[in-house]
Amino acid sequence: MRIVTYRGEGGDRAGVLVGNGIVDAWAALGGDGSTVRELLASGRVEELRRAGESAQSLPLSDVELLPPVPDPDKVVCIGLNYRSHAAEAGIDPPDTPTFFAKFRNALAAPGATVPLPGASSKVDFEAEVAFVIGTECREVETVEAGRYVAGYMLLNDLSARDLQFATPQWMPGKVFDGAAPCGPALVTRDEGEVDGSVSFSLELNGEVMQDASTDDLIFGIPDLIAHLSRLMTLEPGDIVSTGTPSGVGSTRDPRIWLKAGDEIVISSPTLGRLETRLA
């Protein structure tokens, strides 16, 4: 199932992609909620799967897609979590997950145009697979962690490298408006994975820059959930982006920095296609 947030005549609503249409999630359930976060917290996703099969849909062309979860309490990003990326950066794989935060202002919709930040001249791309928490969890074990995942989506961890490395903390380069395009949908685990992993690639102006799968993760998704849930309570709708593989612009020779007019496409056989233009 592919869960989205869309903007239509009734405002911003949770929906389900069905063919070329969108089924309003809460109308299908006969409920009074509106958001994807409320849907996850209600525990009614499986009920929605059944109800959505016969519900009336809106044409996709009549609505605007937004970030699948536009109002998370947390956006947690993992750094240096692909063996290939740690190698190209000349850094030993970490012994424990490295993470930082983004905020809601960074989220951008599929198909969005993102203005480059005026404070930076070295903005880079990072194709990532993010997962969304479906059930509150705290201090869970790795063996049971997978059941807390609602689904997956693509995310571009746009990074202002000059700001990122100006201080020991990375966050200054990670938080500009639109720095986390994501989507196009939250894909439930049964559709998102193939043999337990997700494949994806990134093209910049039609040229493939990154091509990988989550098989190369240093810390897998269950490990990340177990680790993070020991540090804080993870709640329905929280986004965790799992890191980027090799091929980013800052490690290339010559280096590649994003410029106005560039088009980025992150695609996955299971998670869909996330398009972003820079301005």
Side-chain angles (χ1 to χ4, degrees):
M1 185 164 53
R2 295 172 185 266
I3 300 170
V4 299
T5 296
Y6 72 96
R7 178 168 293 162
E9 292 182 357
D12 298 351
R13 305 279 300 172
V16 179
L17 287 177
V18 180
N20 292 319
I22 290 182
V23 171
D24 185 277
W26 288 97
L29 291 171
D32 57 1
S34 61
T35 71
V36 169
R37 194 151 61 106
E38 290 171 329
L39 174 67
L40 299 177
S42 73
R44 303 183 72 183
V45 171
E46 287 305 312
E47 182 184 349
L48 175 61
R49 187 191 304 275
R50 298 186 295 271
E53 294 176 354
S54 58
Q56 185 175 0
S57 65
L58 300 167
L60 187 57
S61 57
D62 289 352
V63 303
E64 175 188 358
L65 288 182
L66 302 177
V69 185
D71 59 344
D73 278 344
K74 308 178 194 68
V75 182
V76 180
C77 298
I78 310 300
L80 298 173
N81 197 30
Y82 276 80
R83 295 174 181 86
S84 62
H85 182 46
E88 73 175 352
I91 299 172
D92 291 334
D95 295 325
T96 190
T98 298
F99 74 93
F100 55 92
K102 288 186 183 249
F103 305 104
R104 293 183 189 179
N105 69 295
L107 298 176
T113 296
V114 173
L116 291 165
S120 173
S121 60
K122 296 180 178 179
V123 177
D124 203 353
F125 51 83
E126 294 191 13
E128 306 200 4
V129 171
F131 64 89
V132 174
I133 295 295
T135 306
E136 181 180 296
C137 58
R138 184 173 184 270
E139 297 183 355
V140 303
E141 298 296 328
T142 301
V143 293
E144 63 177 1
R147 67 186 180 91
Y148 293 94
V149 176
Y152 308 104
M153 63 181 179
L154 298 170
L155 187 143
N156 192 348
D157 176 19
L158 294 173
S159 303
R161 300 298 190 195
D162 42 1
L163 304 179
Q164 177 181 350
F165 296 115
T167 73
Q169 298 295 325
W170 293 353
M171 281 179 60
K174 300 286 190 172
V175 295
F176 63 87
D177 293 348
C182 57
L186 172 60
V187 183
T188 51
R189 293 180 64 199
D190 57 305
E191 291 191 29
E193 295 178 335
V194 175
D195 296 329
S197 67
V198 181
S199 298
F200 61 104
S201 63
L202 180 146
E203 294 181 9
L204 174 62
N205 300 324
E207 182 179 352
V208 176
M209 295 289 169
Q210 296 181 280
D211 189 11
S213 94
T214 53
D215 286 335
D216 192 39
L217 286 173
I218 296 169
F219 301 101
I221 290 170
D223 297 319
L224 293 175
I225 294 173
H227 178 73
L228 293 171
S229 72
R230 286 194 293 270
L231 305 177
M232 55 187 161
T233 299
L234 298 176
E235 300 168 301
D238 285 352
I239 297 169
V240 181
S241 201
T242 57
T244 199
S246 61
V248 297
S250 56
T251 62
R252 293 176 175 268
D253 186 14
R255 292 182 173 87
I256 296 175
W257 305 119
L258 296 174
K259 61 186 183 302
D262 281 348
E263 296 183 355
I264 302 173
V265 177
I266 305 176
S267 57
S268 165
T270 56
L271 302 188
R273 181 181 175 94
L274 175 65
E275 300 180 8
T276 307
R277 177 185 287 271
L278 283 303

